[in-house]
Amino acid sequence: MVSFQLDDELEDFRHTVRRLAETEFRDKAAYWDEHETFPTENRDKLAELGYLGMFVPEEYGGSGAEIIQGAVFLEELARVCFNTSLVCQLYLNGPARAINQLGTDEQKKRLLPGVAQGKTFIAISISEPEAGSAVTDLRTTAVEDGDGWLLNGSKCFCTGGHVADYLMVFARCAGSKGAKGIGAFLVNMKNKGVTVGHISKKMGGRGLPEADIILENYHVGPEDVLLIGDPESSKSFGLLMSSFGPERVGNAAMCIGLAQGAFDAAKEYSEVRHQFGRPIKEFQGLQWKIADMATQIHAGRLMVYRAATNEAANGFPDPMDATMAKLFANEMAQKVTNEALQIHGHNGYTREYPMERMVRDARGFALGGGTVEILRNTIAALTYGHSFNQRRG
Protein backbone atom coordinates (compact mmCIF):
# COMPACT_ATOMS: atom_id res chain seq x y z
CA MET A 1 0.00 0.00 0.00
CA VAL A 2 1.26 3.48 -0.90
CA SER A 3 1.21 5.92 2.02
CA PHE A 4 1.69 9.66 1.90
CA GLN A 5 1.55 10.12 5.67
CA LEU A 6 4.35 10.12 8.22
CA ASP A 7 4.08 7.38 10.82
CA ASP A 8 3.30 8.21 14.44
CA GLU A 9 6.94 8.17 15.46
CA LEU A 10 7.92 10.74 12.83
CA GLU A 11 4.89 12.91 13.65
CA ASP A 12 5.93 12.89 17.31
CA PHE A 13 9.44 13.81 16.21
CA ARG A 14 8.04 16.70 14.15
CA HIS A 15 6.12 18.08 17.12
CA THR A 16 9.20 17.79 19.35
CA VAL A 17 11.38 19.72 16.91
CA ARG A 18 8.63 22.30 16.33
CA ARG A 19 8.31 22.98 20.05
CA LEU A 20 12.07 23.33 20.34
CA ALA A 21 12.26 25.72 17.37
CA GLU A 22 9.37 27.83 18.64
CA THR A 23 10.68 28.17 22.18
CA GLU A 24 14.43 28.37 21.54
CA PHE A 25 15.03 29.80 18.06
CA ARG A 26 12.13 31.98 16.89
CA ASP A 27 12.86 35.07 18.99
CA LYS A 28 16.41 35.50 17.68
CA ALA A 29 15.82 34.51 14.05
CA ALA A 30 15.93 38.15 12.94
CA TYR A 31 19.08 38.76 15.01
CA TRP A 32 21.29 36.35 13.05
CA ASP A 33 20.12 37.94 9.81
CA GLU A 34 20.44 41.53 10.97
CA HIS A 35 23.90 41.06 12.47
CA GLU A 36 25.08 38.54 9.83
CA THR A 37 26.26 36.33 12.67
CA PHE A 38 26.73 32.56 12.81
CA PRO A 39 24.07 31.15 15.19
CA THR A 40 26.59 29.48 17.48
CA GLU A 41 24.29 29.15 20.47
CA ASN A 42 21.63 27.40 18.37
CA ARG A 43 24.24 25.04 16.90
CA ASP A 44 25.51 24.21 20.37
CA LYS A 45 21.99 23.58 21.69
CA LEU A 46 21.20 21.20 18.84
CA ALA A 47 24.52 19.42 19.30
CA GLU A 48 23.80 18.99 23.01
CA LEU A 49 20.47 17.37 22.13
CA GLY A 50 22.13 15.04 19.62
CA TYR A 51 20.53 16.40 16.46
CA LEU A 52 23.74 17.23 14.61
CA GLY A 53 24.75 13.58 14.70
CA MET A 54 21.47 12.44 13.22
CA PHE A 55 23.11 10.92 10.13
CA VAL A 56 26.37 9.90 11.80
CA PRO A 57 26.50 6.14 12.46
CA GLU A 58 26.08 5.03 16.06
CA GLU A 59 29.66 3.75 16.29
CA TYR A 60 30.88 7.33 15.75
CA GLY A 61 28.55 8.95 18.25
CA GLY A 62 25.48 9.57 16.09
CA SER A 63 22.07 8.00 15.77
CA GLY A 64 22.18 6.71 12.16
CA ALA A 65 18.77 8.16 11.27
CA GLU A 66 16.98 7.84 7.93
CA ILE A 67 16.91 10.64 5.36
CA ILE A 68 13.19 11.28 5.98
CA GLN A 69 13.86 12.14 9.62
CA GLY A 70 16.44 14.71 8.56
CA ALA A 71 13.99 16.18 6.06
CA VAL A 72 11.35 16.64 8.76
CA PHE A 73 13.96 18.14 11.09
CA LEU A 74 15.21 20.70 8.54
CA GLU A 75 11.66 21.56 7.53
CA GLU A 76 10.68 22.44 11.09
CA LEU A 77 13.81 24.51 11.73
CA ALA A 78 13.44 26.45 8.46
CA ARG A 79 9.83 27.24 9.36
CA VAL A 80 11.17 29.38 12.23
CA CYS A 81 14.86 30.21 11.60
CA PHE A 82 16.39 29.76 8.18
CA ASN A 83 19.96 30.41 9.32
CA THR A 84 19.80 27.67 11.94
CA SER A 85 18.43 25.21 9.38
CA LEU A 86 21.20 26.14 6.94
CA VAL A 87 23.87 25.36 9.53
CA CYS A 88 22.21 22.01 10.25
CA GLN A 89 21.96 21.24 6.55
CA LEU A 90 25.74 21.49 6.30
CA TYR A 91 26.24 19.27 9.35
CA LEU A 92 23.72 16.67 8.20
CA ASN A 93 23.94 16.58 4.42
CA GLY A 94 27.29 18.21 3.76
CA PRO A 95 30.85 16.84 3.78
CA ALA A 96 30.31 14.67 6.85
CA ARG A 97 27.92 12.50 4.85
CA ALA A 98 30.49 12.18 2.06
CA ILE A 99 33.15 11.21 4.60
CA ASN A 100 30.83 8.59 6.05
CA GLN A 101 30.16 7.18 2.58
CA LEU A 102 33.60 7.48 1.01
CA GLY A 103 36.14 8.04 3.79
CA THR A 104 38.55 5.65 5.46
CA ASP A 105 37.88 4.14 8.87
CA GLU A 106 40.56 6.45 10.31
CA GLN A 107 38.89 9.55 8.83
CA LYS A 108 35.52 8.53 10.20
CA LYS A 109 36.90 7.86 13.68
CA ARG A 110 38.82 11.15 13.68
CA LEU A 111 36.17 13.49 12.28
CA LEU A 112 32.64 12.17 12.64
CA PRO A 113 32.43 12.18 16.47
CA GLY A 114 33.35 15.88 16.42
CA VAL A 115 30.65 16.55 13.84
CA ALA A 116 28.05 14.78 15.97
CA GLN A 117 29.12 16.84 18.99
CA GLY A 118 29.04 20.12 17.06
CA LYS A 119 32.76 20.60 17.68
CA THR A 120 33.94 19.99 14.11
CA PHE A 121 32.43 22.05 11.30
CA ILE A 122 33.34 20.91 7.79
CA ALA A 123 32.44 23.17 4.87
CA ILE A 124 32.40 22.19 1.22
CA SER A 125 34.58 24.02 -1.28
CA ILE A 126 33.72 23.34 -4.91
CA SER A 127 32.83 26.54 -6.79
CA GLU A 128 35.48 28.71 -8.43
CA PRO A 129 35.36 32.07 -10.22
CA GLU A 130 35.20 30.29 -13.59
CA ALA A 131 33.49 27.08 -12.46
CA GLY A 132 30.01 27.50 -11.03
CA SER A 133 27.27 25.52 -12.77
CA ALA A 134 30.04 24.23 -15.06
CA VAL A 135 31.67 22.57 -12.08
CA THR A 136 33.88 20.32 -14.21
CA ASP A 137 35.72 23.45 -15.37
CA LEU A 138 37.36 23.75 -11.96
CA ARG A 139 41.07 24.61 -12.07
CA THR A 140 42.29 23.89 -8.55
CA THR A 141 45.04 21.32 -8.95
CA ALA A 142 46.29 18.42 -6.86
CA VAL A 143 49.89 17.41 -7.62
CA GLU A 144 51.58 14.45 -5.97
CA ASP A 145 54.25 15.48 -3.45
CA GLY A 146 56.06 12.61 -1.78
CA ASP A 147 53.49 10.73 0.29
CA GLY A 148 50.87 13.46 -0.14
CA TRP A 149 49.54 16.13 -2.48
CA LEU A 150 49.96 19.87 -3.04
CA LEU A 151 46.79 21.89 -3.65
CA ASN A 152 46.81 25.18 -5.54
CA GLY A 153 43.86 27.25 -6.63
CA SER A 154 41.12 29.70 -5.67
CA LYS A 155 37.63 28.81 -4.48
CA CYS A 156 34.59 31.02 -3.99
CA PHE A 157 31.12 30.93 -2.39
CA CYS A 158 32.32 28.53 0.30
CA THR A 159 29.39 28.65 2.71
CA GLY A 160 30.73 29.04 6.24
CA GLY A 161 34.32 28.67 5.05
CA HIS A 162 35.50 31.46 7.33
CA VAL A 163 34.33 29.60 10.47
CA ALA A 164 35.05 26.03 9.33
CA ASP A 165 37.52 23.67 10.99
CA TYR A 166 37.99 21.71 7.78
CA LEU A 167 37.14 22.13 4.13
CA MET A 168 36.26 19.37 1.71
CA VAL A 169 37.99 20.68 -1.42
CA PHE A 170 37.33 19.44 -4.94
CA ALA A 171 40.53 19.49 -7.03
CA ARG A 172 41.79 17.86 -10.20
CA CYS A 173 44.89 15.88 -10.98
CA ALA A 174 47.24 17.99 -13.07
CA GLY A 175 46.70 17.47 -16.79
CA SER A 176 43.15 16.13 -16.51
CA LYS A 177 40.10 17.69 -18.16
CA GLY A 178 36.37 17.78 -17.59
CA ALA A 179 34.96 15.34 -15.06
CA LYS A 180 38.03 13.14 -15.30
CA GLY A 181 40.66 13.46 -12.64
CA ILE A 182 38.53 15.27 -10.05
CA GLY A 183 38.92 14.13 -6.46
CA ALA A 184 38.36 15.49 -2.95
CA PHE A 185 40.76 16.42 -0.17
CA LEU A 186 40.29 17.46 3.45
CA VAL A 187 41.93 20.79 4.28
CA ASN A 188 42.64 21.71 7.91
CA MET A 189 42.01 25.46 8.22
CA LYS A 190 44.73 25.75 10.91
CA ASN A 191 47.50 24.60 8.58
CA LYS A 192 49.77 26.66 6.36
CA GLY A 193 48.84 27.21 2.75
CA VAL A 194 45.13 27.96 3.15
CA THR A 195 43.73 31.45 3.72
CA VAL A 196 40.29 33.03 3.77
CA GLY A 197 39.85 35.81 1.24
CA HIS A 198 36.84 37.99 0.53
CA ILE A 199 33.65 37.23 2.48
CA SER A 200 30.52 37.92 0.44
CA LYS A 201 27.62 39.85 1.95
CA LYS A 202 24.55 37.94 0.84
CA MET A 203 20.94 38.87 0.18
CA GLY A 204 19.64 36.05 2.40
CA GLY A 205 20.98 33.34 4.67
CA ARG A 206 23.11 36.09 6.14
CA GLY A 207 23.98 34.19 9.31
CA LEU A 208 26.26 31.97 7.26
CA PRO A 209 28.28 34.10 4.81
CA GLU A 210 30.27 32.70 1.91
CA ALA A 211 34.03 32.99 1.72
CA ASP A 212 36.72 32.92 -0.94
CA ILE A 213 39.43 30.36 -0.18
CA ILE A 214 43.00 30.58 -1.46
CA LEU A 215 45.18 27.47 -1.58
CA GLU A 216 48.91 27.99 -2.09
CA ASN A 217 51.01 24.84 -1.99
CA TYR A 218 48.77 23.42 0.70
CA HIS A 219 50.16 20.01 1.64
CA VAL A 220 47.62 17.22 2.08
CA GLY A 221 48.93 14.21 3.93
CA PRO A 222 47.68 10.72 3.01
CA GLU A 223 45.36 10.78 6.05
CA ASP A 224 43.37 13.67 4.54
CA VAL A 225 42.91 12.31 1.02
CA LEU A 226 39.21 11.51 0.68
CA LEU A 227 39.12 10.38 -2.94
CA ILE A 228 41.87 10.60 -5.54
CA GLY A 229 40.81 11.57 -9.04
CA ASP A 230 41.74 9.31 -11.92
CA PRO A 231 42.93 11.32 -14.99
CA GLU A 232 41.46 8.62 -17.22
CA SER A 233 38.07 8.33 -15.52
CA SER A 234 35.21 10.40 -14.14
CA LYS A 235 34.29 7.69 -11.61
CA SER A 236 35.60 9.61 -8.58
CA PHE A 237 33.68 12.73 -9.56
CA GLY A 238 30.52 10.68 -10.01
CA LEU A 239 30.89 9.13 -6.56
CA LEU A 240 31.45 12.53 -4.97
CA MET A 241 28.41 14.07 -6.60
CA SER A 242 26.14 11.12 -5.78
CA SER A 243 27.11 11.39 -2.12
CA PHE A 244 25.43 14.80 -2.09
CA GLY A 245 22.06 13.49 -3.33
CA PRO A 246 20.57 13.91 0.16
CA GLU A 247 21.71 17.55 0.09
CA ARG A 248 19.11 18.25 -2.57
CA VAL A 249 16.45 16.60 -0.45
CA GLY A 250 17.54 18.70 2.52
CA ASN A 251 17.51 21.85 0.41
CA ALA A 252 13.97 21.08 -0.73
CA ALA A 253 12.86 20.30 2.83
CA MET A 254 14.09 23.70 3.99
CA CYS A 255 12.06 25.29 1.19
CA ILE A 256 8.95 23.54 2.49
CA GLY A 257 9.62 24.76 6.02
CA LEU A 258 10.31 28.34 4.97
CA ALA A 259 7.18 28.42 2.82
CA GLN A 260 5.11 26.91 5.64
CA GLY A 261 6.33 29.55 8.06
CA ALA A 262 5.44 32.33 5.62
CA PHE A 263 2.03 30.74 4.94
CA ASP A 264 1.25 30.42 8.66
CA ALA A 265 2.13 34.07 9.22
CA ALA A 266 0.04 35.23 6.24
CA LYS A 267 -2.98 33.18 7.32
CA GLU A 268 -2.80 34.56 10.85
CA TYR A 269 -2.38 38.12 9.57
CA SER A 270 -5.39 37.77 7.26
CA GLU A 271 -7.53 36.90 10.28
CA VAL A 272 -6.56 39.92 12.38
CA ARG A 273 -6.03 42.61 9.73
CA HIS A 274 -9.20 44.57 8.93
CA GLN A 275 -9.94 46.71 5.88
CA PHE A 276 -13.26 48.05 4.63
CA GLY A 277 -14.77 47.06 7.96
CA ARG A 278 -14.00 43.33 7.93
CA PRO A 279 -11.08 40.86 8.16
CA ILE A 280 -9.18 40.68 4.89
CA LYS A 281 -9.57 36.88 4.89
CA GLU A 282 -13.16 37.48 3.78
CA PHE A 283 -12.05 38.84 0.41
CA GLN A 284 -12.09 36.20 -2.30
CA GLY A 285 -8.86 37.46 -3.88
CA LEU A 286 -6.95 36.67 -0.69
CA GLN A 287 -8.78 33.37 -0.20
CA TRP A 288 -7.50 32.27 -3.60
CA LYS A 289 -3.95 33.23 -2.67
CA ILE A 290 -4.19 31.19 0.54
CA ALA A 291 -5.65 28.24 -1.35
CA ASP A 292 -2.90 28.29 -3.99
CA MET A 293 -0.18 28.64 -1.36
CA ALA A 294 -1.54 25.72 0.67
CA THR A 295 -1.77 23.54 -2.45
CA GLN A 296 1.78 24.35 -3.57
CA ILE A 297 3.24 23.61 -0.13
CA HIS A 298 1.31 20.34 0.06
CA ALA A 299 2.54 19.23 -3.37
CA GLY A 300 6.12 20.16 -2.52
CA ARG A 301 5.99 18.28 0.77
CA LEU A 302 4.78 15.11 -0.95
CA MET A 303 7.61 15.35 -3.47
CA VAL A 304 10.19 15.82 -0.71
CA TYR A 305 8.86 12.90 1.32
CA ARG A 306 8.90 10.66 -1.75
CA ALA A 307 12.50 11.63 -2.52
CA ALA A 308 13.48 11.08 1.12
CA THR A 309 12.05 7.56 1.19
CA ASN A 310 12.71 6.29 -2.34
CA GLU A 311 16.31 5.06 -2.41
CA ALA A 312 18.08 4.03 -5.59
CA ALA A 313 20.25 0.92 -5.79
CA ASN A 314 23.26 2.77 -4.33
CA GLY A 315 21.39 3.74 -1.15
CA PHE A 316 21.06 7.40 -2.13
CA PRO A 317 17.76 9.11 -3.03
CA ASP A 318 16.52 8.38 -6.52
CA PRO A 319 18.16 11.12 -8.66
CA MET A 320 14.98 12.01 -10.53
CA ASP A 321 12.91 12.28 -7.36
CA ALA A 322 15.54 14.39 -5.58
CA THR A 323 16.06 16.70 -8.55
CA MET A 324 12.36 17.22 -9.20
CA ALA A 325 11.70 17.85 -5.51
CA LYS A 326 14.41 20.51 -5.33
CA LEU A 327 13.28 22.20 -8.55
CA PHE A 328 9.63 22.38 -7.50
CA ALA A 329 10.39 23.39 -3.91
CA ASN A 330 12.90 26.07 -4.93
CA GLU A 331 10.40 27.84 -7.15
CA MET A 332 7.46 27.21 -4.84
CA ALA A 333 9.23 28.83 -1.87
CA GLN A 334 9.78 32.00 -3.88
CA LYS A 335 6.14 32.17 -4.93
CA VAL A 336 4.72 31.46 -1.48
CA THR A 337 6.96 33.87 0.43
CA ASN A 338 6.27 36.59 -2.12
CA GLU A 339 2.50 36.07 -1.82
CA ALA A 340 2.77 36.02 1.97
CA LEU A 341 4.46 39.41 1.84
CA GLN A 342 1.73 40.70 -0.48
CA ILE A 343 -0.98 39.63 1.97
CA HIS A 344 0.80 41.64 4.66
CA GLY A 345 0.73 44.72 2.45
CA HIS A 346 3.28 47.39 3.29
CA ASN A 347 3.79 45.87 6.73
CA GLY A 348 5.34 42.88 5.01
CA TYR A 349 7.86 45.16 3.31
CA THR A 350 9.15 46.45 6.64
CA ARG A 351 11.58 44.75 8.98
CA GLU A 352 8.98 44.79 11.73
CA TYR A 353 7.64 41.57 10.22
CA PRO A 354 9.61 38.50 9.06
CA MET A 355 8.20 38.51 5.51
CA GLU A 356 10.94 40.51 3.81
CA ARG A 357 13.57 38.28 5.42
CA MET A 358 11.73 35.16 4.27
CA VAL A 359 11.54 36.47 0.70
CA ARG A 360 15.29 37.11 0.73
CA ASP A 361 16.09 33.72 2.24
CA ALA A 362 13.90 31.89 -0.28
CA ARG A 363 15.69 33.42 -3.26
CA GLY A 364 18.98 31.67 -2.59
CA PHE A 365 17.56 28.14 -2.75
CA ALA A 366 17.29 28.30 -6.53
CA LEU A 367 21.02 29.04 -6.80
CA GLY A 368 22.81 26.76 -4.32
CA GLY A 369 23.17 23.03 -4.82
CA GLY A 370 22.30 23.33 -8.50
CA THR A 371 20.45 26.21 -10.14
CA VAL A 372 16.91 25.58 -11.34
CA GLU A 373 18.23 25.76 -14.91
CA ILE A 374 20.81 23.05 -14.25
CA LEU A 375 18.16 20.97 -12.47
CA ARG A 376 16.01 21.13 -15.60
CA ASN A 377 18.99 19.97 -17.66
CA THR A 378 19.45 17.06 -15.26
CA ILE A 379 15.78 16.07 -15.42
CA ALA A 380 15.90 16.17 -19.22
CA ALA A 381 19.02 14.00 -19.25
CA LEU A 382 17.42 11.49 -16.89
CA THR A 383 14.28 11.48 -19.02
CA TYR A 384 16.15 10.85 -22.28
CA GLY A 385 18.64 8.49 -20.69
CA HIS A 386 21.73 10.43 -21.71
CA SER A 387 23.32 13.79 -20.92
CA PHE A 388 23.51 16.73 -23.31
CA ASN A 389 26.64 18.72 -24.04
CA GLN A 390 25.93 22.34 -23.08
CA ARG A 391 29.16 23.61 -24.59
CA ARG A 392 29.35 25.40 -27.89
CA GLY A 393 30.65 23.13 -30.66
Side-chain angles (χ1 to χ4, degrees):
M1 179 183 295
V2 176
S3 174
F4 294 95
Q5 299 291 328
L6 298 179
D7 60 27
D8 291 343
E9 185 176 349
L10 278 171
E11 282 294 350
D12 288 344
F13 176 75
R14 176 198 294 285
H15 292 310
T16 298
V17 177
R18 178 170 294 190
R19 284 193 300 271
L20 174 68
E22 290 282 356
T23 56
E24 298 285 343
F25 305 147
R26 179 180 287 281
D27 289 347
K28 287 191 71 172
Y31 176 89
W32 311 118
D33 175 80
E34 187 74 23
H35 295 270
E36 301 186 46
T37 302
F38 187 90
T40 303
E41 65 186 59
N42 293 0
R43 187 271 311 273
D44 292 347
K45 179 70 174 180
L46 291 165
E48 177 187 340
L49 295 172
Y51 288 118
L52 297 186
M54 190 178 300
F55 291 154
V56 173
E58 293 181 8
E59 59 263 40
Y60 304 119
S63 55
E66 300 291 331
I67 294 173
I68 182 62
Q69 188 171 354
V72 172
F73 175 70
L74 291 170
E75 178 186 339
E76 290 302 322
L77 290 184
R79 178 177 168 271
V80 167
C81 182
F82 173 76
N83 285 297
T84 300
S85 70
L86 181 57
V87 171
C88 291
Q89 162 79 334
L90 291 173
Y91 270 92
L92 268 59
N93 292 316
R97 179 180 283 278
I99 292 170
N100 184 47
Q101 296 288 341
L102 305 172
T104 65
D105 288 342
E106 187 278 331
Q107 288 169 348
K108 296 175 187 179
K109 292 176 183 177
R110 173 162 50 97
L111 297 172
L112 294 185
V115 171
Q117 297 164 12
K119 296 178 180 178
T120 303
F121 178 48
I122 310 174
I124 187 167
S125 190
I126 301 178
S127 296
E128 298 181 4
E130 302 300 324
S133 292
V135 64
T136 55
D137 284 351
L138 66 85
R139 299 177 182 177
T140 297
T141 58
V143 178
E144 287 190 83
D145 177 52
D147 63 347
W149 298 75
L150 287 180
L151 302 184
N152 283 279
S154 297
K155 296 290 187 177
C156 62
F157 303 141
C158 179
T159 305
H162 64 304
V163 294
D165 300 294
Y166 283 85
L167 301 179
M168 177 179 162
V169 174
F170 278 39
R172 67 166 63 256
C173 295
S176 63
K177 293 182 179 181
K180 295 179 179 179
I182 296 177
F185 304 82
L186 300 173
V187 169
N188 188 328
M189 294 298 288
K190 294 180 180 179
N191 291 349
K192 293 191 304 181
V194 56
T195 55
V196 175
H198 175 70
I199 298 176
S200 300
K201 289 186 172 294
K202 298 191 295 181
M203 174 180 174
R206 302 198 310 182
L208 203 59
E210 294 169 348
D212 289 354
I213 302 294
I214 299 94
L215 296 156
E216 297 178 296
N217 289 326
Y218 179 92
H219 182 265
V220 179
E223 73 280 2
D224 282 332
V225 175
L226 184 62
L227 199 62
I228 297 174
D230 179 355
E232 303 300 321
S233 170
S234 61
K235 182 179 179 180
S236 292
F237 178 71
L239 286 171
L240 288 167
M241 297 308 290
S242 67
S243 72
F244 286 98
E247 188 274 340
R248 288 186 171 174
V249 177
N251 178 299
M254 288 192 293
C255 286
I256 303 303
L258 181 61
Q260 186 68 58
F263 174 84
D264 293 343
K267 176 178 174 292
E268 180 180 352
Y269 186 83
S270 73
E271 294 174 322
V272 299
R273 174 66 170 169
H274 285 65
Q275 288 291 282
F276 302 102
R278 54 179 173 155
I280 61 174
K281 72 174 184 178
E282 295 185 9
F283 296 105
Q284 187 181 59
L286 265 65
Q287 293 169 15
W288 285 7
K289 286 182 184 293
I290 290 292
D292 286 344
M293 293 159 70
T295 301
Q296 290 163 8
I297 294 169
H298 182 64
R301 183 174 286 116
L302 292 180
M303 293 180 75
V304 170
Y305 289 179
R306 174 180 168 85
T309 55
N310 190 25
E311 294 184 356
N314 60 3
F316 295 117
D318 179 83
M320 182 70 91
D321 285 343
T323 308
M324 284 184 168
K326 183 181 185 299
L327 172 61
F328 184 87
N330 287 172
E331 296 185 336
M332 178 276 295
Q334 293 180 66
K335 294 174 185 175
V336 169
T337 54
N338 190 60
E339 288 286 52
L341 189 153
Q342 189 71 21
I343 289 172
H344 279 74
H346 197 274
N347 279 331
Y349 196 63
T350 71
R351 293 189 183 182
E352 302 300 316
Y353 289 77
M355 292 301 103
E356 63 85 27
R357 184 178 79 247
M358 288 179 162
V359 169
R360 288 189 286 105
D361 288 340
R363 189 61 186 85
F365 280 119
L367 301 172
T371 66
V372 291
E373 292 79 14
I374 291 296
L375 296 178
R376 285 183 164 88
N377 290 346
T378 300
I379 292 168
L382 291 169
T383 299
Y384 282 106
H386 62 86
S387 60
F388 294 87
N389 185 358
Q390 304 296 327
R391 301 180 188 280
R392 179 179 295 179

